[in-house]
Amino acid sequence: MIWRRKLLTPAMFLIIVMKVFTGHTLICHPAEYQIGNECCPMCPAGSRVKTDCTEFRSTSCLSCLDGTYVDKPTGRKNCFDCTNCDKGLGLKVKTSCTTTSDAVCERLEGFYCTDQIGNNCVEAQKHRICQPGQYINQKGTAFTDTVCSDCSAGTFSNGTFTSCQSHTQCESNLELIKPGTASTDAECGEKRSNVAVPVTIPCVLLFLLISAGLIYWFYFRKKKMSFREAEKNTSSAILCQPSLENG
Ligand SMILES: *[C@@H]1O[C@H](CO)[C@@H](O)[C@H](O)[C@H]1NC(C)=O
């Protein structure tokens, strides 16, 4: 007797708990749902309950509309709305929604998933863009961001390289025109003296020639003018003198 009572007590307790939570002891078959004091057959996946069963007829079901789904037999009166793979959240459709399964989303190209639930990506972010002066240390994947690292001295990358490249060393017949930076290569060019001599010398000569010409012209003109002035003065003196003598 004691043994039996001990065994019964947990079972009794369970029944009491179920009574408290459900209000009655009716337990439906797994393929049925409870409505009032009835057990009704569930509607199959892809459909919903239109009207509950009665004593006289079975449950009537309606197929889910486009954009809605139910993925398992149900006693629900509404289908679920399909998940929207929002571009604004960095997502695109991986598997389209059907009436029996929700859509599955994945990250857009160039994004990585920051919030994954099971097979479904809920939110994604754009891969980091490496700045000029940095190289792509680790390329971004579906689940990790890009890792950028700075170039070391004497090397450069415009942000798209997977490693920094050494600055070009100008060959002996060339000259450094622009030193390299972390984001740009060095620039080499023809040695300036090679270009300067044939261009500068004729320029200087031409300048000197023109200057000399101008100076000569000014000087000559001035001399000529002062000569004329002197001539004028003498002639007026000659003209004046007789009148003075006559007077
Ligand atoms: C970086 O350099 C590569 C190769 O020289 C070039 O194709 C690319 O357009 C450059 N990108 C930027 C952002 O300057």
Side-chain angles (χ1 to χ4, degrees), residues 154-157 161 165-169 176 178-188:
T155 67
F156 75 102
S157 160
F161 303 164
Q165 290 174 12
S166 292
H167 290 147
T168 299
Q169 300 296 311
L176 184 67
K178 238 169 127 184
T181 67
S183 57
T184 58
D185 195 5
E187 279 178 42
C188 305

Side-chain angles (χ1 to χ4, degrees), residues 185-206:
D185 195 5
E187 279 178 42
C188 305
E190 296 288 319
K191 281 201 167 138
R192 207 157 283 166
S193 54
N194 292 353
V195 184
V197 171
V199 174
T200 313
I201 288 175
C203 277
V204 168
L205 282 177
L206 198 69

Side-chain angles (χ1 to χ4, degrees), residues 38-187:
E38 295 280 340
C39 282
C40 286
M42 285 182 169
C43 287
S47 68
R48 62 178 179 86
V49 174
K50 187 186 171 201
T51 49
D52 297 314
C53 68
T54 63
E55 268 181 80
F56 312 107
R57 53 181 178 77
S58 184
T59 313
S60 74
C61 304
L62 265 181
S63 287
C64 292
L65 296 174
D66 266 0
T68 65
Y69 75 99
V70 172
D71 56 359
K72 42 182 180 272
T74 186
R76 287 174 55 90
K77 295 225 160 51
N78 297 296
C79 300
F80 299 108
D81 286 327
C82 291
T83 296
N84 178 26
C85 298
D86 190 355
K87 228 167 113 175
L89 294 174
L91 302 173
K92 66 175 183 186
V93 176
K94 184 180 183 187
T95 314
S96 296
C97 192
T98 69
T99 54
T100 56
S101 64
D102 194 7
V104 178
C105 307
E106 65 182 348
R107 52 121 196 186
L108 285 167
E109 206 55 47
F111 285 65
Y112 67 105
C113 193
T114 51
D115 190 359
Q116 177 91 4
I117 298 176
N119 193 26
N120 187 52
C121 183
V122 179
E123 194 173 348
Q125 273 183 4
K126 217 173 167 54
H127 284 146
R128 179 192 310 275
I129 305 287
C130 294
Q131 297 299 305
Q134 297 184 317
Y135 70 101
I136 300 167
N137 194 331
Q138 273 165 50
K139 220 168 145 53
T141 68
F143 294 102
T144 62
D145 198 2
T146 302
V147 178
C148 306
S149 297
D150 292 336
C151 288
S152 55
T155 67
F156 75 102
S157 160
N158 68 5
T160 68
F161 303 164
T162 50
S163 66
C164 297
Q165 290 174 12
S166 292
H167 290 147
T168 299
Q169 300 296 311
C170 297
E171 287 173 41
S172 57
N173 59 330
L174 297 177
E175 181 175 62
L176 184 67
I177 289 179
K178 238 169 127 184
T181 67
S183 57
T184 58
D185 195 5
E187 279 178 42

